Amino acid sequence: MSDRAPLPYDFMPKVPSFTVTSTDVTDGEQMSDSQVYNGFGMTGQNRSPQLSWSGFPTGTQGFAVTCFDPDAPTGSGFWHWHLHDIPASVTTLAANAGAADGAGLPAGAFSVRNDYGSKDFGGAAPPEGDPPHRYVFAVHALDTASLGIDSDVSPAVAGFNLRFHTIARGMIIPVYSH
């Protein structure tokens, strides 16, 4: 048995993958203070990273972006970001697109409440001394332009809807510890 929690998509139906890149975070590498939460004893900048994606299936009608920490000491992980209703024409999010004011989001896109209780990107804040936590930034290619949810649903309800509409998924998984 592994001493690490599974990734959130390990037990879902397999879907094709595509490429996700970032100028701010690197797969398997330590994130900077830019992506660290400003609270819970942390003094980061709480900025969502720049993300770009390519190679998703023809026929993709929309996207969602999520960020999940499977290593959080909660028994259920920790949702840092759930962004929905991203138009199919959008293949890049600028750094800090997940800010609380929503000004950096594509038209029509919105965030549901994260596990911090806010409707935006919430940065890394693992307990001091923990092994590096993984932050699973996933871009979900969808068979629909909208999941038919609003910003008041929980990450679990949003995830339930994603499960039935994701036709491909790309991930980048940086880490953070302090």
Side-chain angles (χ1 to χ4, degrees):
M1 182 171 188
S2 172
D3 61 345
R4 303 292 307 250
L7 297 181
Y9 311 109
D10 285 352
F11 302 105
M12 291 194 175
K14 300 293 180 209
V15 294
S17 65
F18 56 92
T19 302
V20 176
T21 60
S22 176
T23 58
D24 295 325
V25 298
T26 303
D27 200 66
E29 298 293 324
Q30 176 90 352
M31 291 190 294
S32 75
D33 285 345
S34 291
Q35 285 76 50
V36 171
Y37 193 62
N38 188 15
F40 280 40
M42 308 295 286
T43 57
Q45 297 172 26
N46 206 44
R47 295 171 53 89
S48 58
Q50 182 278 338
L51 297 170
S52 296
W53 52 93
S54 62
F56 47 86
T58 302
T60 297
Q61 294 184 34
F63 296 100
V65 172
T66 58
C67 179
F68 182 73
D69 173 1
D71 304 312
T74 64
S76 61
F78 197 94
W79 288 103
H80 289 264
W81 199 18
H82 246 276
L83 177 60
H84 297 280
D85 288 9
I86 302 169
S89 61
V90 174
T91 59
T92 298
L93 292 175
N96 205 31
D101 66 5
L105 296 179
F110 62 92
S111 293
V112 304
R113 194 169 308 282
N114 59 37
D115 283 338
Y116 289 116
S118 59
K119 295 178 181 180
D120 57 3
F121 171 77
E128 189 170 358
D130 260 17
H133 285 213
R134 297 165 292 165
Y135 294 86
V136 181
F137 288 90
V139 179
H140 310 262
L142 307 175
D143 65 2
T144 183
S146 174
L147 293 177
I149 60 174
D150 64 25
S151 67
D152 290 328
V153 303
S154 69
V157 169
F160 177 85
N161 284 279
L162 277 176
R163 186 315 195 169
F164 294 101
H165 292 285
T166 298
I167 58 174
R169 181 181 304 108
M171 296 184 283
I172 188 168
I173 308 175
V175 299
Y176 186 78
S177 67
H178 66 105

